[in-house]
């Protein structure tokens, strides 16, 4: 599928006189990498409105050649974008695979599609990751699905059906989130106004630790399983999904409204360490 980003270069002032060259590479089917020539660039030196625009255009923005930030500096930087969602572990959440996890997020299996912040008051607008360490070739790609594209391609009958659906999600609070929430399937992006799908795949209790259950409203009881199955199949289609293979040093900014995301299973031992901050 076409991507609106063509390979191109921009530069921004770095210090008083120097300019750092940034090269843009489109990702498929969406997303972009912005690479700083020579490395050692500072994210703080790129104007936030520029990064916001690139993130909104591309949904997933990967910055390479930029210095990672210390834990507190990372949170402070993200505060420049908006209020930070505070989780129990703090503003910065460490994502690492654990040996004996209480929740599937910290296990080595796959993580089905969801959006972040379903079980808290405010849905984050953006999430920020920085990758402190990675094991290339060991799976664990973060998979982003662009629901604005899935909606755009749906026929009117399907859209009408979706518009009548809401889903109640529930999960026990074992780690940093839990509770019950009901969301309409179709929502509006707060910045672009485009329709988005707020869909989290239900998790089978026999497969996932600390599963999420979904109760569907607006669909006949006998059709619920088929409805959820076809929605899952749709958002997994390759034309809507970008798989991000992490490299140490990546900084990734993603749009938590247009996208839902999940993770492929790890295929071997991994030392991957991501830090995540979410901005409302
Ligand atoms: Fe997530």
């Amino acid at each position: 599928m076409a991507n609106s980003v063509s390979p191109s270069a921009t530069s921004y002032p770095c210090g008083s006189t120097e300019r750092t060259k940034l090269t843009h590479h489109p990702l498929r089917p969406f997303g972009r990498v912005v690479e700083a020539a020579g490395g050692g660039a500072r994210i703080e030196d790129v104007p936030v409105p520029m990064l916001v625009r690139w993130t909104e255009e591309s949904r997933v923005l990967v910055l390479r050649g930029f210095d990672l930030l210390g834990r507190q500096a990372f949170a402070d930087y993200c505060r420049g974008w908006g209020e930070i969602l505070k989780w129990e572990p703090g503003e910065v959440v460490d994502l690492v695979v654990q040996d004996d996890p209480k929740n599937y997020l910290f296990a080595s299996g796959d993580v089905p599609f969801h959006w972040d912040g379903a079980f808290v008051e405010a849905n984050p607008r953006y999430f920020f990751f920085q990758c402190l360490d990675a094991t290339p070739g060991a799976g664990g790609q973060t998979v982003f699905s662009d629901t604005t594209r899935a909606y755009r391609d749906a026929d009117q009958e399907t859209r009408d059906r979706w518009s009548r659906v809401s889903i109640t999600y529930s999960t026990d609070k074992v780690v940093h989130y839990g509770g019950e929430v009901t969301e309409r399937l179709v929502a509006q992006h707060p910045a672009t106004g485009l329709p988005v799908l707020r869909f989290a795949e239900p998790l089978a209790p026999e497969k996932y630790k600390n599963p999420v259950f979904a109760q569907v409203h607006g669909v006949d009881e006998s059709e619920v399983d088929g409805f959820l199955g076809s929605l899952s199949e749709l958002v997994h289609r390759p034309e809507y999904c970008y798989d991000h293979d992490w490299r140490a040093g990546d900084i990734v900014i993603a749009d938590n409204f247009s996208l839902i995301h999940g993770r492929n299973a790890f295929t071997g031992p991994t030392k991957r360490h991501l830090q995540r901050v979410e901005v409302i």
Side-chain angles (χ1 to χ4, degrees):
M1 186 171 290
N3 190 305
S4 59
V5 186
S6 327
S8 60
T10 53
S11 63
Y12 67 93
C14 180
S16 54
T17 52
E18 295 171 60
R19 295 185 77 84
T20 295
K21 186 179 170 218
L22 300 178
T23 310
H24 295 233
H25 309 277
L27 296 166
R28 299 281 180 239
F30 61 89
R32 82 171 82 176
V33 177
V34 173
E35 198 156 11
R42 287 160 34 95
I43 190 173
E44 306 95 304
D45 290 338
V46 187
V48 169
M50 194 181 275
L51 293 172
V52 167
R53 182 161 54 82
W54 294 343
T55 306
E56 277 177 7
E57 287 169 358
S58 303
R59 322 285 198 231
V60 175
L61 179 65
V62 180
L63 301 175
R64 288 199 169 126
F66 288 77
D67 289 339
L68 297 188
L69 298 164
R71 189 183 194 85
Q72 189 57 48
F74 184 38
D76 291 342
Y77 171 75
C78 295
R79 219 182 314 282
W81 284 58
E83 186 187 344
I84 295 180
L85 187 60
K86 286 196 183 63
W87 297 99
E88 242 172 49
E91 295 179 328
V92 180
V93 176
D94 287 282
L95 296 169
V96 285
V97 171
Q98 299 172 356
D99 288 337
D100 185 22
K102 296 190 178 83
N103 173 285
Y104 68 94
L105 291 180
F106 301 100
S108 60
D110 68 302
V111 174
F113 280 137
H114 61 284
W115 75 95
D116 275 4
F119 295 104
V120 292
E121 296 274 314
N123 279 189
R125 172 97 170 264
Y126 303 107
F127 41 44
F128 292 72
F129 296 99
Q130 55 175 6
C131 180
L132 281 67
D133 208 349
T135 304
Q141 298 89 348
T142 299
V143 184
F144 297 96
S145 177
D146 186 348
T147 69
T148 64
R149 290 182 177 215
Y151 187 91
R152 179 197 63 191
D153 294 346
D155 59 28
Q156 195 57 46
E157 187 186 339
T158 305
R159 290 179 179 183
D160 289 346
R161 189 175 195 211
W162 286 346
S163 72
R164 294 189 292 272
V165 172
S166 59
I167 304 178
T168 300
Y169 300 99
S170 56
T171 190
D172 291 336
K173 186 173 183 306
V174 174
V175 283
H176 54 275
Y177 64 90
E180 184 179 290
V181 64
T182 300
E183 288 274 354
R184 300 193 71 86
L185 177 60
V186 181
Q188 206 179 26
H189 192 286
T192 64
L194 291 175
V196 299
L197 299 177
R198 302 265 79 183
F199 176 54
E201 294 178 286
L203 309 186
E206 61 276 14
K207 183 172 174 199
Y208 299 97
K209 286 191 171 179
N210 192 200
V212 175
F213 300 96
Q215 192 187 351
V216 180
H217 316 282
V219 174
D220 284 347
E221 186 69 38
S222 61
E223 295 176 14
V224 164
D225 287 348
F227 178 79
L228 290 173
S230 63
L231 207 47
S232 283
E233 184 275 322
L234 181 75
V235 292
H236 278 278
R237 287 185 192 170
E239 63 262 39
Y240 303 134
C241 292
Y242 164 65
D243 291 13
H244 185 68
D245 221 343
W246 291 94
R247 296 187 200 169
D250 281 354
I251 296 176
V252 171
I253 308 172
D255 174 344
N256 188 44
F257 272 93
S258 295
L259 308 173
I260 50 178
H261 64 278
R263 188 190 69 202
N264 290 336
F266 290 99
T267 53
T270 180
K271 52 182 183 164
R272 194 179 81 179
H273 182 185
L274 302 178
Q275 287 181 333
R276 189 194 69 193
V277 172
E278 291 177 300
V279 172
I280 297 168

